[in-house]
Amino acid sequence: MEESKKFLYSAVQPTNNLTIGNYIGAIRNWTMLQNDYNCYFAIANMHAITVRQTPAVLRQRTLSLLALYLACGVDPEKCTLYLQSHVPAHAELCWVLNTFTYVGEMERMTQFKDKSARHAENINMGLMDYPVLMAADILLYQADVVPVGLDQRQHVEIARDIAQRFNNAYSPTFKVPEALYMKVGAKINDLQDPAKKMSKSGENPNGSVFLSDDRDTIIRKFRRAVTDSDLEIRYDPETKPGVSNLLSIYSVFSGKTVEEAAAEFSGKGYGDFKAAVGEVVADRLAPIQAQQQKLLADKPYLDGVLKKGADGAAYAANKTLSKVYKKIGFYQL
Ligand code: ATP
Ligand code: LTN
């Protein structure tokens, strides 16, 4: 941990298989940021249970997500990589922050409204409290920045509000975090409905490319991607959302800029373009998938990473929690 570096926090939930949206919007950026920040990266299993999970599947997805972080290049020697439920301070700070959060503002959160509509049979308190737990995650580690996709903007805003409210009520305790969005790929859209974000739990499996998809599936999904009828390959998200989305994906996976990508395909047909995007994504994902499988076969290693991560995370988290308990008047021994 280098004192001169700023602190960074992010997490992904171990729900469903991850899509290239999660990769582009989250994990890929982590591998670039880990050199410049003191990073904490969590597997948010406590958030995951706000929607009903099958226990054995949740357990398996937890390790699978850890192996994926590592396979993508997140380095446990540089970052603290851990499982949220291994650090009880998350639940403890969440409880305190609940008393600084209003029911009305939680009811108005976009994700709460969306998920309540999708899971009408189980609108539980955890689902409503999701943003407060996320605020606890971030604030426990005194994070300066939180790299996330655009869909998480409202959650980071609330974390800032809660931090400021607490700081104003007592004295400066929490760092007020900033969201960090990447220029390209902060929002990758659904291949079948380019007006919608690509999601791991979307209804149409052809709209999302999963990191676990095999080569043929990846190429087929791109071949079927929805574009438009004017047959011109250029970046213009307003009028050409499908083509622009494919150009963003191509740019990230090929390492070229969006302009370079557009130039490369100008004058070419949509068929060739979509095939090329599929190829580059499949080529880039193959070594990640192989490495993930290799790591999953070495459970003692994965457990070791989680153990070391939990110790490091708990140390930092407990320091903040103890400050909070002192300020609010919890008698300490
Ligand atoms: P779900 O569909 O289950 O709600 P999700 O696909 O939105 O899940 P999360 O676990 O909520 O995935 O998000 C993990 C990270 O991936 C977050 O930082 C989020 O902003 C980012 N992310 C998710 N989808 C996209 C996308 N389509 N484009 C860019 N970033 C994304
Ligand atoms: N809600 C986030 C996952 C998450 C997170 C966090 C992201 C849980 N805790 C703290 C950033 C910081 C999501 O991406 N769905």
Side-chain angles (χ1 to χ4, degrees):
M1 198 104 326
E2 289 175 47
E3 291 304 322
S4 58
K5 288 185 179 173
K6 290 191 163 184
F7 285 80
L8 179 152
Y9 191 94
S10 200
V12 170
Q13 305 180 75
T15 47
N16 296 320
N17 288 318
L18 267 61
T19 68
I20 56 169
N22 301 124
Y23 174 73
I24 297 173
I27 301 176
R28 181 187 67 107
N29 304 319
W30 300 359
T31 62
M32 302 191 279
L33 296 162
Q34 64 185 348
N35 297 313
D36 301 327
Y37 292 89
N38 289 316
C39 296
Y40 290 89
F41 295 123
I43 297 171
N45 61 340
M46 292 165 67
H47 280 100
I49 62 163
T50 57
V51 171
R52 208 55 80 216
Q53 305 292 329
T54 306
V57 176
L58 179 60
R59 225 179 332 263
Q60 182 266 324
R61 281 192 179 136
T62 300
L63 281 189
S64 174
L65 183 54
L66 174 66
L68 185 71
Y69 285 179
L70 297 165
C72 289
V74 181
D75 183 351
E77 298 299 322
K78 294 183 185 160
C79 323
T80 304
L81 268 176
Y82 73 102
L83 182 61
Q84 190 183 28
S85 64
H86 286 167
V87 181
H90 291 255
E92 295 175 276
L93 181 62
C94 179
W95 181 253
V96 175
L97 298 184
N98 275 331
T99 66
F100 289 85
T101 310
Y102 301 104
V103 173
E105 60 187 352
M106 291 300 102
E107 281 171 339
R108 288 193 295 274
M109 298 294 285
T110 312
Q111 181 183 288
F112 174 66
K113 290 193 281 188
D114 284 356
K115 291 205 174 168
S116 305
R118 269 196 279 150
H119 304 276
E121 73 300 340
N122 182 21
I123 306 177
N124 62 72
M125 285 303 294
L127 192 62
M128 189 159 154
D129 209 25
Y130 184 113
V132 185
L133 179 59
M134 183 160 155
D137 295 346
I138 299 168
L139 302 182
L140 272 177
Y141 298 92
Q142 304 290 349
D144 297 276
V145 292
V146 183
V148 281
L150 279 173
D151 59 310
Q152 296 297 315
R153 167 176 279 167
Q154 212 181 18
H155 288 155
V156 180
E157 267 318 302
I158 275 289
R160 289 169 58 86
D161 292 348
I162 295 174
Q164 277 160 343
R165 237 171 252 168
F166 190 97
N167 289 347
N168 291 338
Y170 299 95
S171 56
T173 309
F174 297 120
K175 197 165 290 164
V176 181
E178 303 267 356
L180 179 68
Y181 308 109
M182 296 293 148
K183 276 203 207 70
V184 177
K187 184 166 177 251
I188 296 300
N189 291 325
D190 190 284
L191 297 188
Q192 292 298 314
D193 180 359
K196 231 177 57 188
K197 140 184 133 132
M198 184 183 289
S199 153
K200 3 188 185 118
S201 44
E203 293 107 62
N204 186 346
N206 286 323
S208 299
V209 176
F210 294 96
L211 296 178
S212 54
D213 281 346
D214 61 32
R215 183 173 194 92
D216 291 348
T217 308
I218 295 172
I219 290 177
R220 176 173 49 78
K221 286 180 179 176
F222 279 105
R223 206 182 314 124
R224 291 190 190 163
V226 169
T227 44
D228 52 47
S229 54
D230 85 10
L231 301 181
E232 202 192 333
I233 300 175
R234 65 187 159 81
Y235 188 77
D236 180 353
E238 290 297 310
T239 59
K240 296 176 70 69
V243 170
S244 303
N245 190 41
L246 293 175
L247 278 171
S248 298
I249 295 172
Y250 184 81
S251 148
V252 167
F253 281 92
S254 66
K256 297 175 184 163
T257 64
V258 169
E259 292 74 28
E260 285 165 351
E264 184 178 339
F265 292 105
S266 88
K268 298 227 169 83
Y270 280 176
D272 289 348
F273 171 49
K274 292 198 270 186
V277 184
E279 292 285 339
V280 76
V281 173
D283 286 349
R284 180 75 185 83
L285 291 186
I288 294 178
Q289 292 170 344
Q291 179 64 7
Q292 185 191 19
Q293 288 315 314
K294 203 168 124 199
L295 287 163
L296 275 172
D298 191 353
K299 197 162 161 290
Y301 172 71
L302 296 178
D303 284 354
V305 171
L306 288 179
K307 175 78 181 73
K308 174 168 170 265
D311 291 345
Y315 177 78
N318 287 332
K319 254 189 4 200
T320 300
L321 186 67
S322 139
K323 262 203 236 170
V324 168
Y325 278 2
K326 204 152 121 197
K327 296 211 181 178
I328 59 178
F330 280 4
Y331 181 74
Q332 284 174 307
L333 293 174

